[in-house]
Amino acid sequence: MAQINEFPKEEGQTEPGQQAPAQDAAQTQIEKPPWWRRRLIGYLCVLPILAIIIGGTELMKGIVPYLGYPSSIWVFFLTIVALTWGTGPALLLIVLGVTVLDYYFVAPKDQYTILQWPDVIQLVPYVLAAAAITVITHQLERSRNRARIAEMHARTAEAQAQNSARQLSEANQHLTEVNQKLANADRTKDRFISIVAHELKTPITAIRGHSQLIQHRLARQQKQQSLSPNEEKTTSSVQHIEEQTDRLTILINDLLDVSRIRSGQMRMKKEPCDLNEICRAVTEEQRLLSKRTITLHQPEGPLLLQADRDRLAQVLTNLISNAVKYSSEPEPIEVSISQQEGWAVLQVRDYGRGISKKRLPHLFQEFYRTPDAQVSSIQGLGMGLAIVKEIVKKHDGQIGCESEEGQGSTFFVKLPLLQKP
Ligand code: ADP
């Protein structure tokens, strides 16, 4: 199925999957920590901090000569390093710190005896404290990272949602414009059909007038003397012209009706009229035209409606001519009228090809023809039933059809009876 999916790309609009500029900015803003908290800066700071630890510890020992915890300054700075730069620089500070403490402050001083028991016992509590700080900091760092990633995802999702909303609103606007253009084109087409149909009426009336004149002349001549073989051929040609102009007139009138329905200008000239009388006249006319057996069952006396006489005749003509078209001889066509409470019910029954269940719901749509009608030689444009439905609607009535394939069809119309004062 054809789809309109090529919307013109607006300025700033992105391809699907491509990130919007705002989205990129949000991501980089979250991903980049301040420069001084970068891990490399942390490693570079370890040595100066170590120098500060040695200096600080010396100073403390100078102030408090019997200082029992020379490693406390180291633990303090280790905590700061771990919190600021994470586990890598903290581990480096532990390794270097233990070495430096052992050399400068743990007895015997100025010697590396780090692997001997007295040193190990002195340093173990500090190393354990340092390790605990590092582990805790590591956990903190991980949860901080997770929170940052979650925030980043949330911002990305928000940016994507904003982007999608913008794209949707642009698409919506585009669709509204296209709809507007289609509605305008539809109105132009309806106007065109109406103008063409009106314009065609004049030449067709002229053709009909001339052919009737020729027919009258030939008929007069036939009364006075017999016609020559050439004149007889002319008579049959003129009859053919008249049949075709009749067909054209019906088509043009149907086109005009469809255009009136679409523009909401189909008006009814309602007056009190007798449905029995209309049905009698139409049935008789259709019997003569089609030369088919058309029976009529109607109740005694008049059946009064407030209706447009010509339009009701049009409804019945259409239903009977369809029954004639879609059934064949010798099958009869039965027209019946009955009275049900406040309604007059008109039925047209044929024993023709019928309509399949799945086609029935489309029957009253404009320009609808069943597939077998389309491939058959039966002519039609699918306008008749749509017009009939509109006329019935304008009379506050109902229309329907019951049919079975191969068993024929029954079309019924319910119209409100004229209420007696
Ligand atoms: P059309 O000019 O094609 O007859 P209509 O609007 O009168 O247009 O009818 C629409 C379609 O409904 C027809 O093309 C035909 O397929 C189907 N249809 C209408 N009346 C009958 C019927 N009595 N029997 C079978 N099919 C019918």
Side-chain angles (χ1 to χ4, degrees), residues 54-66:
I54 297 168
T57 313
E58 282 294 356
L59 190 71
M60 290 281 284
K61 284 194 84 141
I63 299 166
V64 189
Y66 47 84

PDB file of all heavy atoms in Angstrom, residues 54-66:
ATOM      1  N   ILE A  54      55.466  13.256  55.240  1.00  0.00           N
ATOM      2  CA  ILE A  54      56.751  13.121  55.960  1.00  0.00           C
ATOM      3  C   ILE A  54      57.004  14.390  56.776  1.00  0.00           C
ATOM      4  O   ILE A  54      57.288  14.357  57.987  1.00  0.00           O
ATOM      5  CB  ILE A  54      57.916  12.872  54.968  1.00  0.00           C
ATOM      6  CG1 ILE A  54      57.698  11.532  54.237  1.00  0.00           C
ATOM      7  CG2 ILE A  54      59.267  12.864  55.697  1.00  0.00           C
ATOM      8  CD1 ILE A  54      58.602  11.323  53.040  1.00  0.00           C
ATOM      9  N   GLY A  55      56.824  15.554  56.074  1.00  0.00           N
ATOM     10  CA  GLY A  55      57.062  16.843  56.753  1.00  0.00           C
ATOM     11  C   GLY A  55      56.151  16.996  57.955  1.00  0.00           C
ATOM     12  O   GLY A  55      56.576  17.373  59.056  1.00  0.00           O
ATOM     13  N   GLY A  56      54.864  16.714  57.750  1.00  0.00           N
ATOM     14  CA  GLY A  56      53.863  16.871  58.808  1.00  0.00           C
ATOM     15  C   GLY A  56      54.186  15.961  59.985  1.00  0.00           C
ATOM     16  O   GLY A  56      54.091  16.363  61.155  1.00  0.00           O
ATOM     17  N   THR A  57      54.534  14.697  59.686  1.00  0.00           N
ATOM     18  CA  THR A  57      54.815  13.740  60.758  1.00  0.00           C
ATOM     19  C   THR A  57      56.052  14.198  61.560  1.00  0.00           C
ATOM     20  O   THR A  57      56.075  14.144  62.796  1.00  0.00           O
ATOM     21  CB  THR A  57      55.041  12.335  60.164  1.00  0.00           C
ATOM     22  OG1 THR A  57      53.992  12.062  59.224  1.00  0.00           O
ATOM     23  CG2 THR A  57      55.015  11.269  61.249  1.00  0.00           C
ATOM     24  N   GLU A  58      57.105  14.673  60.813  1.00  0.00           N
ATOM     25  CA  GLU A  58      58.318  15.191  61.474  1.00  0.00           C
ATOM     26  C   GLU A  58      57.939  16.334  62.404  1.00  0.00           C
ATOM     27  O   GLU A  58      58.380  16.406  63.545  1.00  0.00           O
ATOM     28  CB  GLU A  58      59.314  15.696  60.423  1.00  0.00           C
ATOM     29  CG  GLU A  58      60.110  14.612  59.691  1.00  0.00           C
ATOM     30  CD  GLU A  58      61.059  13.839  60.576  1.00  0.00           C
ATOM     31  OE1 GLU A  58      61.189  14.176  61.780  1.00  0.00           O
ATOM     32  OE2 GLU A  58      61.630  12.845  60.095  1.00  0.00           O
ATOM     33  N   LEU A  59      57.085  17.238  61.875  1.00  0.00           N
ATOM     34  CA  LEU A  59      56.682  18.415  62.643  1.00  0.00           C
ATOM     35  C   LEU A  59      55.958  18.009  63.925  1.00  0.00           C
ATOM     36  O   LEU A  59      56.227  18.501  65.014  1.00  0.00           O
ATOM     37  CB  LEU A  59      55.778  19.294  61.763  1.00  0.00           C
ATOM     38  CG  LEU A  59      55.460  20.674  62.297  1.00  0.00           C
ATOM     39  CD1 LEU A  59      56.721  21.563  62.223  1.00  0.00           C
ATOM     40  CD2 LEU A  59      54.336  21.321  61.494  1.00  0.00           C
ATOM     41  N   MET A  60      55.031  17.048  63.755  1.00  0.00           N
ATOM     42  CA  MET A  60      54.258  16.580  64.910  1.00  0.00           C
ATOM     43  C   MET A  60      55.190  15.952  65.955  1.00  0.00           C
ATOM     44  O   MET A  60      55.026  16.161  67.153  1.00  0.00           O
ATOM     45  CB  MET A  60      53.237  15.521  64.462  1.00  0.00           C
ATOM     46  CG  MET A  60      52.109  16.078  63.619  1.00  0.00           C
ATOM     47  SD  MET A  60      50.855  16.895  64.586  1.00  0.00           S
ATOM     48  CE  MET A  60      50.002  15.507  65.270  1.00  0.00           C
ATOM     49  N   LYS A  61      56.181  15.195  65.443  1.00  0.00           N
ATOM     50  CA  LYS A  61      57.103  14.546  66.380  1.00  0.00           C
ATOM     51  C   LYS A  61      57.962  15.584  67.107  1.00  0.00           C
ATOM     52  O   LYS A  61      58.358  15.396  68.248  1.00  0.00           O
ATOM     53  CB  LYS A  61      58.000  13.547  65.633  1.00  0.00           C
ATOM     54  CG  LYS A  61      57.238  12.260  65.294  1.00  0.00           C
ATOM     55  CD  LYS A  61      58.144  11.143  64.862  1.00  0.00           C
ATOM     56  CE  LYS A  61      58.639  10.471  66.098  1.00  0.00           C
ATOM     57  NZ  LYS A  61      58.788   9.110  66.160  1.00  0.00           N
ATOM     58  N   GLY A  62      58.254  16.698  66.387  1.00  0.00           N
ATOM     59  CA  GLY A  62      59.018  17.791  67.004  1.00  0.00           C
ATOM     60  C   GLY A  62      58.187  18.439  68.106  1.00  0.00           C
ATOM     61  O   GLY A  62      58.678  18.797  69.173  1.00  0.00           O
ATOM     62  N   ILE A  63      56.875  18.622  67.820  1.00  0.00           N
ATOM     63  CA  ILE A  63      55.999  19.275  68.811  1.00  0.00           C
ATOM     64  C   ILE A  63      55.705  18.302  69.955  1.00  0.00           C
ATOM     65  O   ILE A  63      55.750  18.643  71.124  1.00  0.00           O
ATOM     66  CB  ILE A  63      54.693  19.765  68.144  1.00  0.00           C
ATOM     67  CG1 ILE A  63      55.011  20.789  67.055  1.00  0.00           C
ATOM     68  CG2 ILE A  63      53.732  20.369  69.153  1.00  0.00           C
ATOM     69  CD1 ILE A  63      53.878  21.090  66.118  1.00  0.00           C
ATOM     70  N   VAL A  64      55.350  17.044  69.523  1.00  0.00           N
ATOM     71  CA  VAL A  64      55.030  16.044  70.567  1.00  0.00           C
ATOM     72  C   VAL A  64      56.046  14.906  70.421  1.00  0.00           C
ATOM     73  O   VAL A  64      55.826  13.968  69.635  1.00  0.00           O
ATOM     74  CB  VAL A  64      53.595  15.487  70.372  1.00  0.00           C
ATOM     75  CG1 VAL A  64      53.175  14.622  71.553  1.00  0.00           C
ATOM     76  CG2 VAL A  64      52.597  16.584  70.120  1.00  0.00           C
ATOM     77  N   PRO A  65      57.176  14.990  71.177  1.00  0.00           N
ATOM     78  CA  PRO A  65      58.263  14.037  70.956  1.00  0.00           C
ATOM     79  C   PRO A  65      57.835  12.589  71.206  1.00  0.00           C
ATOM     80  O   PRO A  65      58.333  11.681  70.559  1.00  0.00           O
ATOM     81  CB  PRO A  65      59.346  14.485  71.956  1.00  0.00           C
ATOM     82  CG  PRO A  65      58.962  15.849  72.389  1.00  0.00           C
ATOM     83  CD  PRO A  65      57.506  15.989  72.236  1.00  0.00           C
ATOM     84  N   TYR A  66      56.890  12.372  72.116  1.00  0.00           N
ATOM     85  CA  TYR A  66      56.498  10.979  72.393  1.00  0.00           C
ATOM     86  C   TYR A  66      55.272  10.552  71.564  1.00  0.00           C
ATOM     87  O   TYR A  66      54.489   9.728  71.960  1.00  0.00           O
ATOM     88  CB  TYR A  66      56.207  10.810  73.909  1.00  0.00           C
ATOM     89  CG  TYR A  66      55.327  11.914  74.469  1.00  0.00           C
ATOM     90  CD1 TYR A  66      53.923  11.850  74.357  1.00  0.00           C
ATOM     91  CD2 TYR A  66      55.913  13.036  75.083  1.00  0.00           C
ATOM     92  CE1 TYR A  66      53.145  12.877  74.854  1.00  0.00           C
ATOM     93  CE2 TYR A  66      55.129  14.062  75.564  1.00  0.00           C
ATOM     94  CZ  TYR A  66      53.740  13.979  75.454  1.00  0.00           C
ATOM     95  OH  TYR A  66      52.969  14.981  75.921  1.00  0.00           O
TER      96      TYR A  66
END
